[in-house]
Amino acid sequence: MLHDRVLVQLTPEEGERRSSGGIVIPATAQVARRLAWGDVHGVGTNARTVKVGDRVLFNPDDQLEVEVQGRTYLVMRERDVHAVASERIEHGTGLYL
């Protein structure tokens, strides 16, 4: 990867979801403009806050797709990443943005 580019593979969808009221939302239901989680598989030399192995939140509609060895990845600029998830092991309470 060059400059501030990030190579991300989409995290597979979990399928059915539940609303806060307990209503089951099927996997086929379309939701307007939804952000997605993905795993970083490559970063350019000028990327400052993202590293390989991070889990990032981004808009998949605005990114470029590329296929490498039969797997589909998205290529984006680091500035297109909305959040980076990290685990705080010292407190043991889970995932943080």
Side-chain angles (χ1 to χ4, degrees):
M1 302 303 303
L2 297 175
H3 308 296
D4 66 340
R5 300 295 196 268
V6 179
L7 184 71
V8 176
Q9 185 176 29
L10 279 172
T11 303
E13 293 292 323
E14 291 85 26
E16 292 184 345
R17 296 175 283 126
R18 290 192 179 268
S19 70
S20 60
I23 298 172
V24 175
I25 303 169
T28 57
Q30 292 293 326
V31 180
R33 296 211 50 172
R34 187 167 191 171
L35 297 177
W37 288 102
D39 298 317
V40 177
H41 286 268
V43 294
T45 56
N46 294 340
R48 295 188 278 174
T49 57
V50 179
K51 61 184 185 300
V52 174
D54 282 348
R55 190 163 187 227
V56 294
L57 183 68
F58 61 95
N59 184 356
D61 297 333
D62 297 338
Q63 310 312 322
L64 301 173
E65 269 190 24
V66 64
E67 188 173 319
V68 178
Q69 296 180 351
R71 294 187 180 172
T72 302
Y73 297 95
L74 300 175
V75 177
M76 66 187 78
R77 289 182 178 266
E78 185 182 26
R79 69 179 179 202
D80 294 334
V81 172
H82 293 280
V84 177
S86 65
E87 287 192 42
R88 293 191 179 173
I89 298 169
E90 67 271 4
H91 297 293
T93 56
L95 193 64
Y96 289 85
L97 296 180

